[in-house]
Amino acid sequence: NKSHNQPSAGRVPIGNPGMGEAGNFGGNNFMPANGLTVAQNQVLSLIKACPRPEGLNFHDLKNQLQHMTVASIKQAVDFLSNEGHIYSTVDDDHFKSTDAE
Amino acid sequence: LVRIQRNKAAALLRLAARNV
């Protein structure tokens, strides 16, 4: 029973012709590729970085993001949990990341 | 603990739904 292994046809590298037209992402509203804002990314990476099994609690988050208001941290947390990036663990103040892998 | 598992499962489902 010979399996016929067909090599995949040569991949044609896709050129990037109109790079100049891409427009620059100027301004302070920088949005990284994953569709999250800077604040949301900061919150997410802090939660990801937490080694504790119960996750990072809101208090720690607040302490490490002193440039952000409690309301904006809450907002980011809400958004992230709505999107499924994080979830609450032992109580509503502890969060863990799903995409920690 | 059940709650955590459930939250995690729900979060993963949401994430999966976003990625469809």
Side-chain angles (χ1 to χ4, degrees):
Chain A
N1 196 10
K2 263 188 215 164
S3 66
H4 184 64
N5 239 347
Q6 199 176 16
S8 60
R11 255 187 243 151
V12 181
I14 300 165
N16 224 341
M19 257 319 243
E21 298 160 40
N24 62 38
F25 300 89
N28 43 16
N29 206 8
F30 178 66
M31 247 205 191
N34 59 9
L36 304 176
T37 66
V38 172
Q40 288 159 358
N41 262 308
Q42 281 176 329
V43 171
L44 182 58
S45 57
L46 279 174
I47 292 172
K48 264 187 198 172
C50 180
R52 274 171 294 178
E54 76 274 19
L56 193 68
N57 70 49
F58 193 79
H59 184 76
D60 291 338
L61 213 51
K62 208 167 55 187
N63 278 340
Q64 292 182 65
L65 294 169
Q66 294 193 346
H67 60 286
M68 284 172 70
T69 63
V70 172
S72 58
I73 298 174
K74 273 219 166 80
Q75 211 175 10
V77 164
D78 272 359
F79 178 85
L80 290 168
S81 78
N82 260 324
E83 297 275 301
H85 295 296
I86 60 172
Y87 57 97
S88 64
T89 59
V90 286
D91 56 40
D92 285 337
D93 280 339
H94 285 78
F95 303 97
K96 236 174 129 57
S97 154
T98 43
D99 34 23
E101 246 105 306
Chain B
L1 264 136
V2 173
R3 174 199 144 98
I4 298 174
Q5 295 285 322
R6 206 169 36 210
N7 283 345
K8 181 174 188 176
L12 285 169
L13 276 175
R14 279 196 293 271
L15 197 63
R18 300 277 165 187
N19 292 333
V20 163

